[in-house]
Amino acid sequence: MSEKHDASENNDDAGKNQIWGGRFQDGPSAIMEAINASIDVDKRLWREDIAGSLAHSTMLARIGVLSADEVAKIHDGLGQIAAEIEAGTFPFSTALEDIHMNIEARLIALIGAPGERLHTARSRNDQVATDFRLWVRSAANGAAEAISALQNALVQLAAKHAGTVMPGYTHLQTAQPVTFGHHCLAYVEMLERDRGRFLDAAARMNECPLGAAALAGTSFPIDREMTAHALGFDRPTANSLDSVSARDFALEATGTASLTAVTCSRLAEEIVLWTSPHFGFAALSDAFSTGSSIMPQKRNPDAAELARAMVGRINAGHQTLLVVMKGLPLAYSKDMQEDKAATFAVFDALELVLAAMTGMIKDLTINADAMREAAGNGYSTATDLADWLVRVLGLPFRRAHHVSGAIVAIAEEKNLALDALTLEEMQSVEPQITNDVFNFLSVDASVASRTSYGGAAPKNVLAQVDRWLATLKGRDQ
């Protein structure tokens, strides 16, 4: 979508390129047309392109470049074009390269001379920069909304399972008991950071390039504040070169999408583990599972696996855009035409991932008994024993750690849980231990004791659930 000549020069016959004007006497070769045209990708920017033209033409009328009659005809024509695109009857043409010239050519065909005046004081360079910012801003805000929906599903699940004990892991080895509600809320916090990054990106990109023209601005007395505010931007961009060449807004948004996809992938991986027979912590219904073509007993968590895999597609789009931009001098280069395909692919995939994750969280059936049984395995309350030795007997923590390890060794040798050992067996390692220790060695006692801020105690989880419910409700108002 590189800038060429004013639309008023587009009067060549159909056999020549109607965009480039009188300097180019021959039409492009088939190969050039194929590599140059972007309409199959950027036609999804039609809403943004029409919105930009409405704002631009209104401003041109305000400064006296267009008459009231001309701007009325332009607005009517753009409305008709929007209706045609919505109805699927718009005649898209690869010969016209991109969405901007397709709409402009159709406008001229519909209303004649006023359509030829629309491109005054703008370029396809600032036009596409504006359209693309509008689209990416909308996509970033849409992703933030979808993240809130996933958070809400997780908070609802956490509320139901604030006291459901499960094993907490490090290195995928049983570490300490937590609750499933606490586990769910960990992802709510992670997703909140992802959501915040999208909102930050949307706020940072909220400057309007329209009026920067090809790269140097324009000699017409345009009102860029007017067009910026008409399109919902906070302000116009301050430097015309930067206006048309910047794509960091898309890089930031696609980078945030990559981070969000990683968050979702980690949760998807846990769903894959939880729903396996080896864990048996949860189950997905047929709505989010598939069967095997040969093994009738199988229920495969394909939705989770595909959500996990889509990180590759999303990160590839971000990397593509990084590579496109890495060596470009100011200002516009045709390389930038590749920005949209990559960015569209990123947000199409992310939209699907977030919808799938939200659906699966709502669909999960939790096996609380299996979680509780697993929580007691692997001597998960050994740290509670060490804490008791420090808190009650006053042992230094390193000494308490050693004593607890020795007691765990006895339990392992006898194939017993810690709280199934006798007092005498514990006293053989540390004579000062009393019966009081058994009040702290169950998984329920363990999680109930984790009352520090951010800890896994059920009362903490319920307090955090209340906080999140209020936060999410406030977003809906």
Side-chain angles (χ1 to χ4, degrees):
M1 282 161 285
S2 58
E3 176 58 15
K4 305 299 180 183
H5 288 64
D6 241 25
S8 60
E9 298 176 358
N10 297 341
N11 53 8
D12 295 357
D13 60 49
K16 299 176 181 177
N17 191 298
Q18 296 184 13
I19 304 170
W20 298 348
R23 181 179 174 189
F24 294 86
Q25 298 304 311
D26 298 320
S29 70
I31 294 173
M32 182 60 196
E33 183 174 299
I35 197 172
N36 195 49
S38 61
I39 186 60
D40 288 342
V41 172
D42 64 29
K43 63 185 178 184
R44 68 193 294 174
L45 293 175
W46 68 267
R47 291 181 181 85
E48 290 78 12
D49 199 70
I50 288 176
S53 290
L54 290 170
H56 185 66
S57 58
T58 300
M59 183 274 296
L60 290 179
R62 176 76 64 85
I63 66 172
V65 172
L66 295 177
S67 68
D69 180 64
E70 285 173 326
V71 77
K73 288 179 178 178
I74 288 172
H75 285 204
D76 287 345
L78 291 172
Q80 183 174 335
I81 289 169
E84 290 176 351
I85 296 175
E86 290 277 15
T89 61
F90 185 85
F92 288 110
S93 169
T94 56
L96 293 169
E97 290 189 15
D98 55 37
I99 187 62
H100 322 298
M101 295 312 304
N102 268 265
I103 287 177
E104 183 174 308
R106 181 60 177 158
L107 182 65
I108 293 169
L110 289 172
I111 67 171
E116 294 182 333
R117 296 173 62 81
L118 174 59
H119 206 53
T120 304
R122 75 175 182 187
S123 157
R124 277 191 295 166
N125 293 354
D126 62 336
Q127 194 176 356
V128 68
T130 302
D131 292 357
F132 197 31
R133 279 194 192 232
L134 286 169
W135 192 94
V136 176
R137 183 184 68 184
S138 177
N141 286 324
E145 291 179 11
I147 288 171
S148 284
L150 176 53
Q151 288 178 298
N152 186 64
L154 285 163
V155 172
Q156 298 294 337
L157 194 59
K160 294 177 183 177
H161 294 281
T164 299
V165 179
M166 71 173 290
Y169 299 95
T170 61
H171 309 279
L172 205 56
Q173 305 295 311
T174 301
Q176 293 177 270
V178 295
T179 72
F180 185 61
H182 190 61
H183 198 103
C184 290
L185 291 179
Y187 282 101
V188 174
E189 296 290 339
M190 293 161 69
L191 287 163
E192 182 66 8
R193 294 192 292 275
D194 293 325
R195 177 180 174 274
R197 281 185 279 265
F198 274 121
L199 295 178
D200 288 346
R204 206 167 358 263
M205 74 178 72
N206 207 31
E207 296 180 341
C208 184
L210 192 59
L215 76 164
T218 178
S219 59
F220 288 93
I222 59 173
D223 187 342
R224 293 191 63 206
E225 292 282 353
M226 178 181 175
T227 50
H229 294 152
L231 293 170
F233 289 105
D234 293 331
R235 65 192 69 84
T237 50
N239 182 284
S240 60
L241 287 168
D242 175 54
S243 300
V244 298
S245 62
R247 293 297 183 272
D248 56 322
F249 63 91
L251 282 164
E252 184 175 10
T254 55
T256 297
S258 290
L259 288 170
T260 304
V262 168
T263 301
C264 291
S265 180
R266 296 181 71 181
L267 178 54
E269 167 66 7
E270 301 221 74
I271 291 174
V272 171
L273 292 174
W274 294 338
T275 56
S276 71
H278 303 289
F279 280 75
F281 289 177
L284 289 168
S285 75
D286 292 347
F288 288 95
S289 303
T290 63
S292 165
S293 64
I294 190 172
M295 296 169 283
Q297 83 281 8
K298 293 291 293 298
R299 181 188 290 274
N300 300 322
D302 282 6
E305 292 171 357
L306 289 167
R308 183 178 61 188
M310 281 191 178
V311 174
R313 188 188 307 182
I314 292 168
N315 189 49
H318 176 59
Q319 292 298 321
T320 296
L321 191 52
L322 280 170
V323 172
V324 166
M325 296 303 300
K326 72 170 182 63
L328 297 187
L330 298 180
Y332 184 89
S333 296
K334 192 71 169 182
D335 310 52
M336 294 183 192
Q337 184 166 289
E338 290 296 302
D339 58 1
K340 282 159 286 298
T343 304
F344 294 160
V346 165
F347 280 96
D348 288 348
L350 182 65
E351 181 181 24
L352 186 55
V353 166
L354 288 169
M357 296 307 303
T358 303
M360 282 187 286
I361 292 301
K362 291 180 178 179
D363 186 73
L364 276 179
T365 299
I366 303 304
N367 186 341
D369 292 338
M371 285 186 172
R372 172 176 290 277
E373 181 180 354
N377 295 335
Y379 304 101
S380 63
T381 58
T383 303
D384 297 278
L385 172 57
D387 288 346
W388 184 89
L389 293 168
V390 172
R391 187 173 58 252
V392 176
L393 300 186
L395 269 63
F397 181 79
R398 284 301 164 206
R399 169 64 184 162
H401 186 279
H402 177 79
V403 169
S404 297
I407 292 173
V408 167
I410 294 173
E412 283 181 324
E413 182 180 353
K414 295 178 177 292
N415 196 28
L416 294 172
L418 281 177
D419 58 358
L421 291 175
T422 65
L423 178 62
E424 290 75 18
E425 287 168 327
M426 290 194 180
Q427 288 177 335
S428 69
V429 178
E430 173 50 64
Q432 298 182 74
I433 295 176
T434 68
N435 268 318
D436 178 61
V437 74
F438 292 102
N439 294 324
F440 298 91
L441 294 183
S442 70
V443 292
D444 289 302
S446 177
V447 295
S449 71
R450 305 298 171 182
T451 56
S452 59
Y453 183 77
K459 70 175 186 179
N460 286 21
V461 175
L462 289 172
Q464 292 294 330
V465 164
D466 289 342
R467 176 177 71 85
W468 273 110
L469 288 173
T471 297
L472 294 166
K473 183 179 180 181
R475 291 176 188 170
D476 293 335
Q477 294 175 349

